[in-house]
Amino acid sequence: MKLMRGRFLIGTGVVLAAVLWLAFTGFDEGKAYYRTVEELREEGAANAGKRLKVGGSVEAGSIVWKEDGLHFRLTQNEAALPVRYLGESPVPDTFKDGSQAVVEGTVGSDGTLEAVKIQAKCASKYEAEYGDESSGAGDSRS
Amino acid sequence: MNELGSLALITLYPVTLFGAAASFLGGRNRRKGLVAAGERSLVVSFLLLTLSVLSLVALFLRDGFSNAYVANHSNIDLPIFYKVTALWAGQEGSLLFWNWLLSLYGIAVLWSNRNRNRDLMPYVTAILLISAFFFTNMNLLAANPFRPLVMDHAGTPIPYAPPDGRGLNPLLQHPAMVVHPPVLYLGFVGFVVPFAFALAALWTRAPGVGWLLATRRWTLFAWLFLSGGILLGARWAYVELGWGGYWAWDPVENASLMPWLTGTALLHSVIIQEKRGMLKVWNAVLVVTTYLLCVFGTFLTRSGIVSSVHAFAQSPVGHYFVAFLALGVAFSFGLIWVRRDYLRSDATLDSILSRESSFFFNNLIFLVACFAVLWGTLFPVLSEAVRGEQISVGPPYFNRINVPIGLFLLFLTGFAPLLAWRRTSWPNLRRSFAWPAALMLAAGIVLFLLAVRARYALICFSLSVFVATTIVMEFHRGGRVRRRQLGESWPRALANLFLRNPRRYGGYVVHFGVVLLFVGFAGSSFNRSRAEELSPGGEMAIGGYTLRVEKLEEGETPNYDFARARVALERGGRPVGVYHPERRFYFASEQPSTEVEIHSTVREDIYLVYASTGEKGGAVIQVYRNPLVLWVWVGGLVFVLGGLICLVPTRREGSPAPKTSESEGGAP
């Protein structure tokens, strides 16, 4: 009986160890730090090369398609961050002038965020009157 | 209507509280009158909730935009079908709908147990009523669907009814999205039944596995709906969201996956308790965990806690959920601890090479996967709490862990049925293992020579062959026995296998669905995509296909305006079809929406998106080549079919069937 219990413990241990190892490596590959546009400006070069998720609102009129990708600016109060989107997926339906967006990517040497992912939530017309409405599953997805 | 709905909700307060107390006291003191009063309260709760749901539907149908929820989720021009289903389009309505389903399950349980499980029923009723009380409370205090719309007019709120509503989110205006929430919720809510029975059995120290048998089919029913809901959600994401995939490890998706993982573990491990009287604590833990994860999943979906921690702080719904979950965890696990003697195992594991032990590892893996998903989903919240910095983990984390876990589970799917109960001898194992293993190796070598080099995909395809072979062998073995002993023809023998033991053979059909699903998943290793701006006449090539934009159109309907491309698709010079990917802009909700077009074959999907209108006035067309996606949907259908077979009541024959497959509990 002791022997049996030992074997099960070993089996369980192997499974857990393998998963933990996968978790750590996968974690490093996938982690991204949340920053707001203002925090990013204050912290300056400290964030270079880190994978970031930056939230802000899309500056009206700043969205331009160019040969090298989609350009726009993300703003929060006075601060603005230029973004270039190079991701594989088309931008989400909710992405437009004035929408709340979270972009994921790294800040390049010129201070532009090279984004690979955009999530957006649209600013709705009644929202100011009666608060936020998190409607439906699809809103925050890219 | 607003007042009627509110009134019904408020009346639920005393009814649920009184009913819960009456049931509990009636059960403890064996007072029939109190028990009956408790059960009547449950019926009354159902009627009140029905009234409230109907009030809200009526408000939608009459365009009652003085109601905030209606104004937010409907508009005059919205088709009637979507007006009715807008009931569950947002937080408040969903929670009301949840509660209504809970009471619906409640009366179904009452009815099917009117003559049995009488000792357990008072406690079951009490637990159902307490759950209903919690959701009612939330509906009234934090997410009231009957709130009138008010406008802040120089500091004083005045009632306000806009001429038209804000409209239903265009993403939700899709048939799959209409069916998806109720199906998913039927799954989520359904786990309350085994939860209530488990706690009732623990409380009363009910002897034997009666509660397990009584809830087995309820569990299966809920689990089947949960699975169907997840599949529909994936399908919706694929055809509607326009990013070319069906699963993104989004918190909302994870929310439904977690209870599915523990629920699936539960379905497997109850078999052990039925047959060998083992894993009792484990099962009690799984039942409780699954239901609480369902509540937690609703919480994740509805509170937006993960997409933004700050929304959580503002959303009062979060506090109620956390309170309910905390109470649920404390009470349930406390009860399991107090009753641990009652849950003592009747037998011990004999051998690591046995059916029991394969179930044990199956459970371990499911639970580990669930924990990994939970950890990844909550990491932004945890890191914020611990380090004051939000860190998210993306799909690489989830894939890194769950792909190997999935493959290991796939392996067990084929391997476990080859093992005998208690102990498997090596010669025995070699005999049943030879064919599947040989075919698996052959498939692996052939695929490798055909230049399939993606490691995981190669393993996945080979394992799929392995599992499919073992399933075929199981049917062959079962059928051969019937032919030999009863002289039945092959079709008859196979049909009788299903009828005699639907759960076992339906289970194999589910497993076969899983194999097809995995084949579809593995196809994603070979996905390709590209995007280009094309003017009429412009061409683009992807994976053997050529697509040519023939025409660009623009137009308007009452609900939206659109830009559309007419795209001719060719494969190796032969035309395969004309497609019209479209981009819409909905007026009421001021939202754009992409309408994708998919050329779907057994080999691959060509997925066309009108991404945007480009600088030069052409259409930016994004095209994806997604191999084998069709098998995800086919696998899903087979999976659900297998699940339905499991629910078929057993037909008895002359020879005594195993005891466990006979006594069916309250069928839903």
Side-chain angles (χ1 to χ4, degrees), chain B residues 346-397:
Chain B
D346 303 346
T348 49
L349 286 167
D350 297 328
S351 158
I352 201 150
L353 260 183
S354 64
R355 190 73 72 83
E356 292 92 326
S357 115
S358 72
F359 276 106
F360 169 78
F361 280 104
N362 148 307
N363 266 250
L364 179 69
I365 300 278
F366 270 115
L367 224 62
V368 166
C370 177
F371 187 74
V373 173
L374 180 68
W375 181 255
T377 309
L378 285 186
F379 200 81
V381 183
L382 298 174
S383 66
E384 165 98 32
V386 175
R387 293 175 49 181
E389 176 174 48
Q390 269 197 54
I391 302 172
S392 80
V393 296
Y397 163 83

Side-chain angles (χ1 to χ4, degrees), chain B residues 475-476 478-479 482 488-499:
Chain B
F475 278 101
H476 180 253
R482 291 196 75 86
E488 292 173 342
S489 66
W490 267 112
R492 196 190 175 85
L494 288 178
N496 276 331
L497 283 183
F498 281 116
L499 289 171

Side-chain angles (χ1 to χ4, degrees), chain A residues 29 65 88 93 96 130 141, chain B residues 149 400 590 592 615 622:
Chain A
E29 215 177 292
W65 286 89
E88 282 192 3
D93 290 338
K96 60 181 180 181
Y130 50 87
R141 286 204 240 191
Chain B
L149 192 51
R400 179 73 75 123
E590 293 184 356
E615 279 184 315
Q622 176 106 25

Side-chain angles (χ1 to χ4, degrees), chain B residues 213-474:
Chain B
L213 298 177
T215 57
R216 201 172 66 191
R217 292 160 64 79
W218 292 94
T219 310
L220 202 54
F221 183 83
W223 174 83
L224 186 57
F225 272 89
L226 184 56
S227 313
I230 294 173
L231 287 164
L232 278 170
R235 175 75 191 160
W236 167 77
Y238 189 63
V239 299
E240 194 67 6
L241 290 184
W243 57 274
Y246 46 83
W247 192 266
W249 298 108
D250 185 277
V252 174
E253 293 165 340
N254 295 347
S256 57
L257 182 66
M258 287 186 279
W260 185 87
L261 290 168
T262 55
T264 311
L266 173 67
L267 281 181
H268 288 94
S269 66
V270 289
I271 300 174
I272 299 273
Q273 184 167 348
E274 284 173 21
K275 292 216 194 280
R276 301 286 320 274
M278 295 158 71
L279 300 180
K280 287 182 188 170
V281 175
W282 185 256
N283 283 331
V285 169
L286 281 180
V287 169
V288 166
T289 310
T290 304
Y291 177 61
L292 294 176
L293 278 175
C294 287
V295 176
F296 179 68
T298 316
F299 165 49
L300 272 188
T301 318
R302 286 298 152 205
S303 68
I305 175 176
V306 172
S307 57
S308 157
V309 168
H310 306 291
F312 171 60
Q314 290 155 7
S315 166
V317 178
H319 304 304
Y320 291 97
F321 267 112
V322 169
F324 183 69
L325 284 168
L327 283 174
V329 168
F331 180 77
S332 319
F333 286 96
L335 191 59
I336 292 173
W337 175 253
V338 170
R339 292 285 190 264
R340 60 191 184 282
D341 59 319
Y342 162 69
L343 291 170
R344 188 167 297 140
S345 191
D346 303 346
T348 49
L349 286 167
D350 297 328
S351 158
I352 201 150
L353 260 183
S354 64
R355 190 73 72 83
E356 292 92 326
S357 115
S358 72
F359 276 106
F360 169 78
F361 280 104
N362 148 307
N363 266 250
L364 179 69
I365 300 278
F366 270 115
L367 224 62
V368 166
C370 177
F371 187 74
V373 173
L374 180 68
W375 181 255
T377 309
L378 285 186
F379 200 81
V381 183
L382 298 174
S383 66
E384 165 98 32
V386 175
R387 293 175 49 181
E389 176 174 48
Q390 269 197 54
I391 302 172
S392 80
V393 296
Y397 163 83
F398 292 104
N399 285 330
R400 179 73 75 123
I401 295 186
N402 287 297
V403 170
I405 283 183
L407 290 174
F408 188 59
L409 280 172
L410 184 63
F411 166 72
L412 280 181
T413 308
F415 186 64
L418 300 179
L419 299 175
W421 291 97
R422 286 171 178 273
R423 193 181 294 274
T424 308
S425 68
W426 277 107
N428 219 332
L429 188 64
R430 256 203 310 274
R431 203 165 47 232
S432 41
F433 204 65
W435 270 109
L439 287 175
M440 172 174 76
L441 271 179
I445 291 168
V446 167
L447 285 169
F448 188 79
L449 294 177
L450 287 173
V452 176
R453 297 289 152 82
R455 190 175 25 145
Y456 279 141
L458 194 60
I459 295 175
C460 184
F461 291 136
S462 310
L463 278 176
S464 299
V465 171
F466 170 73
V467 179
T469 314
T470 61
I471 294 170
V472 171
M473 280 172 61
E474 278 297 304

